[in-house]
Amino acid sequence: MMFFEKKTKNVNKKKGIFILILFLLMSISLFLYFQVTASTKLEGIDHFPASYQPYLRELAKKHPNWKFTALYTNLDWNYVIDQENVFGKNLVPKNYSDHWKNTTPGQYNVEVDAGWVDSSRQAVEYCMDPRNFLNEVRLFQFEKLSFDAHTNQLDGVEKILYGTEFYGRKVSYLDSNGNTISMNETYGDLILRAGQTSHVSPYHLASRIKQEVGPFLSHSSISGTVEGFRGLYNFYNIGATSSSEPMGAIKNGLQYAKDGKGASQATKDKYLIPWNTKERAITGGGIFIGSSYINVGQNTIYLQKFDVNDDKGGDLFWHQYMTNVLAPYSEAKSIYNGYQKTGLLDTSMSFVIPIYNDMPTLPTDSPNVQPNDFVQENKKVYCTGNQVNIRTGPSTSYEIITVVNQQDKMTRLAKGKQVGERWDKVILENGIVGYIYQNYVAEVPNVQIEKIEVSLDNTVLQKGEKKLLQVKIYPTEASDHKVKYHSSNPNIATIDEKGMIQAIRSGTVTITVQAEENQVQTQIEIEVYSKVTSITLDQKEIYMQVGDIFQIHANIEPEDANDKGILYDSSNPEVATIQEKGVITAKQMGETTIRVSANENPTIKTECKLVVVRTMEDSEIHFDSSLTLNSLEVSGIDYDANTVADLKQKIITNLEIEIVNYQNEILKEEDIVGTGSKIRVKEEGKILRQYQIIVYGDANGDGRINSIDLLVLQRHILEIQSMDEIFRKASNINKNGKKPTSIDLLFIQRHILGLQKIEQ
């Protein structure tokens, strides 16, 4: 008996130990289970998987103040998609293509809500794969949505509301009796205050309102006129669950606005229910969003749509704010636009981005991307252009992820065969997957260029000359491969895609020849020499008095001539001498010829007649103070009163006055005086002095400023047709003594249009 009792005690003791061990093992298992499945947050790009990092680094380069937090959900990717791919949980508009829809018999095109049907599994995979949206625009579905007094300002709220009936508008609403209540605050004021109260970003609240009720105040959820729910408002469509009844979702939302759908009094007090004023609806709804989602771990738009974070405990996949599978995608752009308009994109922002176990190697393609439009490949290619965009999808309507340049290598995963513009799917060397316009893609050849040699029989080209650059490529097997040409200064010399050099103006330029397929290149230095083609003088006939000193101005054409040296000579030094800079000294009465030639080529020459006459006293002639006298040039003539008669009235003298045009034709009293016209002061038929006239803006000497002058000056600037020096001076509207430019063209144009009169 005692033996049995002892044995029983031992057995009971062993059972106790076994139960204790079993309990401990279960506890450890549960502990390990929760350790494995609980989500983890790690801040910094380095904490993200390799397939996320290149996208985030691109964003960080552009916005260094942005911070990225990796949310490791520790959920299996396929398990998550299975849980979300449940009929009615994710919807798309009925008018979307079948690639977006659930095509299961009995579920295809069944309206879960008016105009909305169940989405396809691919649509769920595309919308849930965060890597598809790591670009500047769509990233905002991962933005942390807490209130920030430094960034959340009224001006920003209003800019988000821009284009809607809420923008800058004072609030008015109907009470339950149909009376209109007017407030002295705008919708922006209410939204900002709601953000402060709920600790939710008012930018997010403003964007959510635009997403849920659209741009119009007449939306049934906020009109206050729905029968049975008069004077009630629901700006965020909270509780607006799908229903087959007409306006079922809206009525469900208004029922929530009325009584919280059976919520406790404490809950209703917390959310300011009933929402019988617009302020209570905007603020109470903000508190609901903050407490029901943001403050329980669903603090991004993505997490509010896809309940995959167990930070605060509770079941997953059911506490989901929206049924539209693309809602985070759409709302992200609205938020981005708001930040962009307010200039807030470069401020400090935080983004929480989910990560799943066993995700696909590559991001899931959009259902809009049709497999039949591509041929699957795995070929090495390179970019043939500069600053070529890599986009999230195969058209310019998709967002830009990054840019690539010439010779940047990538792997083509799929070659486009679409009708019209063709796009290729590529993966860059840093891991970014995207789409590039096919015209900028070339395959990397098996044999590549290793060396390039160039030569010219003479590296000095005359201005205007064309010469083909000789190019040799090694090895010879690559001799048919493409190279590209580049001029360090196209204003001096250009080179086309065939290697033809065109000398433009004097100077030195470096021509680079580079392989399109790699970085192999060589260079050659070219000098462009510009010969003198002509020489002109600002005077054709000069009258001086004994002892006078006068400087003539010679002009070498073209302006960029390498040798601008000028030789001066007087045919009769006893009458007048001339120095090397064109300074003439009158010695005695008589005539001589001033001869001017180009130092580079003395056969290029011109001359002017010089007559030395008797000394004329200052008292013998007087010019009105409105005129400007500069040596032997007269300007300041009134453009609106510039006939010969008008000009003679401004000259007081007993001597004879004769006025001729620039062709030395005598003008009548009613004729117009223009640039190049000359005032001749005569005595007994002999010229004592001659003054040249300048009318600024009159480039052809007809005394008018019109489109003809524009054409003449333009042809001179383009070196199509040279101008005499006097017309060059008249075309220099700035009067700074420089060669006329396109700025002077603009002044003349403004004068013609009556916008700004040229001062004489």
Side-chain angles (χ1 to χ4, degrees), residues 92-109:
V92 293
K94 190 175 182 178
N95 62 359
Y96 271 33
S97 70
D98 284 353
H99 301 284
W100 286 90
K101 300 176 185 176
N102 177 0
T103 55
T104 303
Q107 297 179 347
Y108 173 64
N109 266 355

Side-chain angles (χ1 to χ4, degrees), residues 38 85 114 164 178 204 308 653:
N85 190 40
T164 72
H204 171 59
V308 295
T653 183

Side-chain angles (χ1 to χ4, degrees), residues 131-149:
R131 296 170 297 180
N132 285 318
F133 312 112
L134 301 182
N135 59 75
E136 188 181 40
V137 177
R138 306 301 174 179
L139 180 73
F140 282 89
Q141 61 188 278
F142 308 114
E143 181 197 7
K144 287 179 67 175
L145 300 178
S146 54
F147 179 81
D148 186 343

Side-chain angles (χ1 to χ4, degrees), residues 91 112-114 234 236-245 247-256 261 293 320-323:
L91 308 181
V112 180
D113 199 359
N234 191 336
Y236 309 100
N237 277 334
I238 295 170
T241 54
S242 303
S243 171
S244 58
E245 177 190 355
M247 291 182 64
I250 289 172
K251 289 181 178 179
N252 285 338
L254 292 175
Q255 185 66 50
Y256 192 92
K261 286 188 176 180
Y293 291 91
Q320 301 191 159
Y321 180 75
M322 307 158 254
T323 53

Side-chain angles (χ1 to χ4, degrees), residues 271-433:
Y271 299 143
L272 308 181
I273 295 172
W275 294 338
N276 53 9
T277 73
K278 288 187 175 179
E279 182 172 16
R280 289 174 69 91
I282 292 171
T283 302
I287 295 171
F288 176 91
I289 291 170
S291 60
S292 298
Y293 291 91
I294 293 173
N295 297 330
V296 295
Q298 292 175 265
N299 61 339
T300 70
I301 295 173
Y302 179 97
L303 292 175
Q304 291 176 19
K305 172 67 189 87
F306 304 114
D307 182 10
V308 295
N309 181 24
D310 67 349
D311 257 3
K312 306 294 183 180
D315 296 330
L316 299 175
F317 310 114
W318 71 272
H319 190 238
Q320 301 191 159
Y321 180 75
M322 307 158 254
T323 53
N324 176 7
V325 73
L326 277 165
Y329 174 89
S330 302
E331 289 193 29
K333 185 169 186 178
S334 177
I335 294 172
Y336 167 81
N337 288 339
Y339 281 130
Q340 185 187 46
K341 289 176 182 176
T342 54
L344 299 175
L345 286 177
D346 290 325
T347 58
S348 181
M349 296 184 187
S350 295
F351 302 90
V352 180
I353 304 167
I355 298 159
Y356 304 98
N357 296 335
D358 297 322
M359 295 182 72
T361 303
L362 301 178
T364 308
D365 266 321
S366 165
N368 287 331
V369 178
Q370 303 302 310
N372 292 337
D373 286 339
F374 294 88
V375 175
Q376 299 304 307
E377 281 191 351
N378 187 26
K379 289 186 177 179
K380 292 292 183 182
V381 295
Y382 64 93
C383 178
T384 61
N386 275 319
Q387 294 291 298
V388 179
N389 293 324
I390 301 295
R391 295 183 178 270
T392 58
S395 85
T396 54
S397 63
Y398 288 89
E399 279 79 31
I400 297 170
I401 306 172
T402 186
V403 296
V404 290
N405 293 299
Q406 287 185 344
Q407 280 82 48
D408 284 352
K409 300 292 192 303
M410 61 197 84
T411 300
R412 181 159 58 194
L413 303 174
K415 185 175 183 179
K417 57 175 184 176
Q418 307 94 333
V419 176
E421 287 188 355
R422 293 188 174 183
W423 293 74
D424 293 344
K425 184 177 182 179
V426 296
I427 181 169
L428 307 185
E429 290 185 330
N430 64 4
I432 286 178
V433 178

Side-chain angles (χ1 to χ4, degrees), residues 28 63 80 102 186 293 352 402 410 457 475 617 684 724 758:
I28 292 170
H63 302 286
V80 168
N102 177 0
T186 65
Y293 291 91
V352 180
T402 186
M410 61 197 84
D457 57 359
E617 302 296 332
E684 296 179 356
D724 285 344
I758 293 174

Side-chain angles (χ1 to χ4, degrees), residues 377-557:
E377 281 191 351
N378 187 26
K379 289 186 177 179
K380 292 292 183 182
V381 295
Y382 64 93
C383 178
T384 61
N386 275 319
Q387 294 291 298
V388 179
N389 293 324
I390 301 295
R391 295 183 178 270
T392 58
S395 85
T396 54
S397 63
Y398 288 89
E399 279 79 31
I400 297 170
I401 306 172
T402 186
V403 296
V404 290
N405 293 299
Q406 287 185 344
Q407 280 82 48
D408 284 352
K409 300 292 192 303
M410 61 197 84
T411 300
R412 181 159 58 194
L413 303 174
K415 185 175 183 179
K417 57 175 184 176
Q418 307 94 333
V419 176
E421 287 188 355
R422 293 188 174 183
W423 293 74
D424 293 344
K425 184 177 182 179
V426 296
I427 181 169
L428 307 185
E429 290 185 330
N430 64 4
I432 286 178
V433 178
Y435 291 83
I436 184 172
Y437 187 41
Q438 195 175 94
N439 284 18
Y440 295 112
V441 177
E443 293 184 15
V444 176
N446 293 328
V447 177
Q448 295 191 44
I449 296 174
E450 297 176 7
K451 182 181 177 182
I452 302 173
E453 289 183 354
V454 295
S455 62
L456 277 176
D457 57 359
N458 188 347
T459 57
V460 178
L461 276 65
Q462 299 299 320
K463 178 179 178 178
E465 185 180 2
K466 287 185 177 182
K467 188 168 286 190
L468 185 65
L469 185 65
Q470 302 300 313
V471 179
K472 288 185 178 181
I473 293 174
Y474 302 94
T476 55
E477 292 88 344
S479 59
D480 60 341
H481 291 195
K482 291 183 178 180
V483 295
K484 58 183 180 180
Y485 301 91
H486 174 72
S487 167
S488 63
N489 191 340
N491 293 323
I492 295 175
T494 61
I495 185 166
D496 64 17
E497 69 278 2
K498 295 181 180 179
M500 182 64 74
I501 300 171
Q502 168 77 60
I504 305 297
R505 61 181 295 116
S506 66
T508 302
V509 64
T510 299
I511 300 297
T512 302
V513 184
Q514 183 177 4
E516 277 198 356
E517 63 206 35
N518 54 37
Q519 300 296 324
V520 175
Q521 67 176 37
T522 191
Q523 294 178 328
I524 186 171
E525 192 172 88
I526 304 295
E527 180 185 352
V528 176
Y529 189 90
S530 181
K531 291 182 177 180
V532 176
T533 57
S534 66
I535 187 168
T536 59
L537 283 171
D538 62 343
Q539 305 286 335
K540 294 182 178 178
E541 191 176 38
I542 307 172
Y543 291 85
M544 298 176 62
Q545 301 171 44
V546 175
D548 277 355
I549 295 175
F550 179 74
Q551 184 172 20
I552 60 172
H553 294 90
N555 186 66
I556 291 286
E557 292 285 354

